[in-house]
Amino acid sequence: MPTKVFIPTPLRPYAGKNSSVDVDGRTVGEVLENLTRTHDRLRSHLYNEEGKLRSFVNIYVNDSDIRYLQREETPLKPEDTISIIPSVAGGSVDAPPEPPALSNEEVRRYSRHLIMAEVGLDGQRKLKAARVLCIGAGGLGSPATLYLAAAGVGTIGVVDFDVVDFSNLQRQILHGTSDVGRPKLQSAEERLKDINPGVRVERYETALDSSNALEILRGYDVVVDGTDNFPTRYLVNDACVLLHKPNVYGSIFRFEGQASVFATEGGPCYRCLYSEPPPHGLVPSCAEGGVLGVLPGIIGTIQATETIKLILGAGRTLAGRLLLFDALEMRFREMKLFRDPECPICGDHPTIHELIDYQQFCGVGHDEEITTTADIVVEELKAKLDRNDEILILDVREPQEYQINRIPGSILIPLGDLPQRVQELDGAREIIVHCKSGARSARALEFLKAAGFRRVRNLKGGILQWVERIDSSQPSY
């Protein structure tokens, strides 16, 4: 009997755009082998060059990671399911001996909390005494901080150095139209203080890095991870482990989200789940792949809930569990997590004792050096078009993006379809590859060069630069 294999959103383009497929096999290894034989484009995402499962992709049978079963030799029963979980970043918080008292106004404000046995007057005083740091004032940070402020968390720190953009407003509910162009921390503080004037907001308008993370995180009880990139996600994890701070994790992509609690006493950390990041550029960002506007509201609210439970010492947190949410299917699933004894930072014999260079660890700087050697700027491309040079402009975005804006004369072959349609390209012509901002086109350039194309260049800044500098009549996104 075939086994149902659940395919995550980032890998669906390589599996016929299916959310699940039925695959024959007696063991996990046989199922994965048959899966990648049928959908051969999945192989490079699941296995490395030595044929080993990649460390940034976890395979679950039902709710158990195969690393803690018999790995690929794990036998399958008829009712078993397999989930592919790639990376896309319990206990209680000790309160002061004498938490601050509540004023009469605060009693009225929090009355619905106070009549709950799980919170009560003592719990609300714990919330007032608590200090929570949120990394990011964007999609996840918006609902998380809004609900933490409304719940009465006394001090909320926010780390962000970005400004509000129109494209943020679809999901980042801390900010409004009048805030466009303003620093996010300014609008965030005003909104949080409007929700609850009694909350203290501490602003850190800086990029979190190895030089400042420990100093910033040290003064807080709980850290909420609202980051959108792998270097910062690993940085936050390692800093939380070193400082013994609970790390309330959330991540989002298109219609799917993940949530957990890491770095609790005896519990796993983010590295236990994903020991190393995927190669830079392999997993698209939300800016490239998109995200349903309400999705960060759901995951960010779960993060706020877990944070409040940690402060109160109430209920069962997501420590040791990975919560998966699929908005298209409106389904939650849960996977068990375990602390890895070999984890380099929280294992039995840790090798990481201080923060490292996370840009280098995630391969960001190295890849950027490679992809910039074949760049072409938009002004040079415009000059080539004006001269009617024999060039081919290849757009590797998705069809829905191509409807928004395009460079005249370009042809559309989405990055995921390129291996099957590469024969449509004329290798005798110079090919200019572009996407939204340059990341996907850099991967396309590497593929085309490996396929034997010699005259290939990547449009620096992508269509966004073209609209900004060449054709402002078209919309940006």
Side-chain angles (χ1 to χ4, degrees):
M1 178 178 291
T3 297
K4 185 176 290 295
V5 181
F6 292 102
I7 309 295
T9 297
L11 298 184
R12 288 176 190 171
Y14 311 107
K17 300 184 179 179
N18 295 305
S19 60
S20 66
V21 293
D22 293 329
V23 185
D24 290 323
R26 294 170 299 175
T27 66
V28 171
E30 287 183 11
V31 169
L32 294 179
E33 180 61 33
N34 290 333
L35 172 67
T36 55
R37 185 179 294 117
T38 303
H39 303 284
D40 61 330
R41 293 159 63 199
L42 276 175
R43 180 168 293 276
S44 63
H45 291 270
L46 300 183
Y47 294 97
N48 60 23
E49 292 77 5
E50 290 76 37
K52 304 288 188 182
L53 276 173
R54 293 188 180 275
S55 57
F56 54 82
V57 176
N58 292 335
I59 308 296
Y60 279 76
V61 175
N62 302 323
D63 63 353
S64 296
D65 191 335
I66 66 169
R67 290 179 297 179
Y68 304 99
L69 299 172
Q70 299 174 46
R71 300 189 67 83
E72 292 166 84
E73 291 74 35
T74 301
L76 296 169
K77 301 186 293 295
E79 66 273 16
D80 287 340
T81 61
I82 292 177
S83 298
I84 301 172
I85 313 294
S87 54
V88 224
S92 61
V93 177
D94 294 330
E98 285 295 329
L102 301 182
S103 66
N104 290 343
E105 181 181 341
E106 288 173 322
V107 170
R108 290 195 299 272
R109 177 183 288 269
Y110 306 123
S111 61
R112 299 303 187 272
H113 273 177
L114 301 182
I115 60 178
M116 297 174 62
E118 295 83 356
V119 183
L121 186 64
D122 289 341
Q124 193 62 50
R125 292 170 66 194
K126 287 183 181 180
L127 290 171
K128 183 175 180 179
R131 295 175 54 84
V132 175
L133 180 70
C134 184
I135 313 299
L140 293 172
S142 289
T145 55
L146 282 170
Y147 273 106
L148 291 174
V153 171
T155 302
I156 299 175
V158 187
V159 181
D160 204 301
F161 62 92
D162 204 358
V163 297
V164 180
D165 184 81
F166 273 111
S167 65
N168 301 149
L169 303 181
Q170 161 253 17
R171 64 201 178 280
Q172 299 183 15
I173 57 174
L174 265 177
H175 320 292
T177 303
S178 61
D179 296 316
V180 171
R182 300 178 67 203
K184 286 184 178 179
L185 289 186
Q186 287 185 12
S187 55
E189 181 176 20
E190 291 176 9
R191 182 77 176 105
L192 296 178
K193 297 289 282 188
D194 184 51
I195 289 285
N196 190 345
V199 170
R200 177 177 177 177
V201 179
E202 297 181 343
R203 296 164 25 178
Y204 301 90
E205 195 162 359
T206 183
L208 197 72
D209 58 31
S210 300
S211 68
N212 60 21
L214 294 177
E215 179 182 355
I216 292 175
L217 270 64
R218 183 172 283 111
Y220 291 88
D221 304 312
V222 182
V223 177
V224 176
D225 180 0
T227 58
D228 61 358
N229 63 85
F230 287 112
T232 310
R233 196 174 294 287
Y234 280 93
L235 166 66
V236 171
N237 175 80
D238 292 1
C240 285
V241 173
L242 293 174
L243 293 171
H244 306 288
K245 307 286 185 184
N247 173 14
V248 183
Y249 159 79
S251 67
I252 51 175
F253 182 70
R254 293 186 180 172
F255 286 88
E256 296 180 2
Q258 301 179 2
S260 189
V261 175
F262 295 122
T264 57
E265 184 66 32
C269 76
Y270 182 72
R271 283 181 182 264
C272 296
L273 178 61
Y274 300 115
S275 61
E276 62 182 37
H280 177 53
L282 180 64
V283 178
S285 65
C286 289
E288 292 180 310
V291 61
L292 182 68
V294 300
L295 180 64
I298 296 167
I299 301 301
T301 302
I302 290 173
Q303 289 180 280
T305 304
E306 293 300 286
T307 300
I308 291 171
K309 286 159 57 182
L310 285 164
I311 295 168
L312 296 176
R316 179 187 175 203
T317 72
L318 284 172
R321 297 183 288 161
L322 179 66
L323 186 67
L324 306 176
F325 174 63
D326 185 334
L328 277 180
E329 299 289 337
M330 194 49 68
R331 178 176 62 181
F332 286 92
R333 292 189 293 142
E334 182 182 301
M335 304 296 174
K336 294 178 182 177
L337 298 180
F338 300 91
R339 186 181 72 87
D340 182 0
E342 303 300 320
C343 176
I345 191 161
C346 78
D348 295 341
H349 304 286
T351 57
I352 299 175
H353 303 286
E354 58 185 19
L355 301 182
I356 62 175
D357 184 338
Y358 293 90
Q359 297 288 323
Q360 182 181 30
F361 173 66
C362 294
V364 175
H366 175 66
D367 276 10
E368 286 177 348
E369 291 174 4
I370 292 176
T371 58
T372 56
T373 58
D375 277 352
I376 178 175
V377 296
V378 292
E379 291 82 2
E380 185 180 353
L381 175 58
K382 178 63 164 57
K384 285 179 175 290
L385 290 174
D386 291 343
R387 294 194 303 265
N388 293 316
D389 287 0
E390 285 294 320
I391 61 173
L392 187 155
I393 304 174
L394 173 61
D395 188 332
V396 296
R397 297 177 298 161
E398 295 299 312
Q400 60 271 19
E401 295 177 271
Y402 194 71
Q403 294 175 349
I404 299 172
N405 52 27
R406 67 192 69 174
I407 297 176
S410 61
I411 66 169
L412 175 67
I413 302 180
L415 179 62
D417 297 339
L418 191 55
Q420 283 70 45
R421 298 179 57 187
V422 68
Q423 70 279 358
E424 299 177 24
L425 302 177
D426 182 0
R429 300 170 66 183
E430 181 181 15
I431 300 175
I432 310 297
V433 191
H434 85 84
C435 60
K436 179 181 179 181
S437 58
R440 282 172 286 177
S441 56
R443 300 201 298 274
L445 180 142
E446 292 179 358
F447 169 79
L448 291 173
K449 285 191 171 182
F453 290 82
R454 295 290 175 260
R455 303 176 63 202
V456 188
R457 301 178 72 183
N458 179 31
L459 182 63
K460 186 175 182 179
I463 191 75
L464 295 183
Q465 285 286 301
W466 178 268
V467 171
E468 180 182 344
R469 298 183 183 179
I470 305 299
D471 185 6
S472 60
S473 67
Q474 296 196 69
S476 187
Y477 69 104

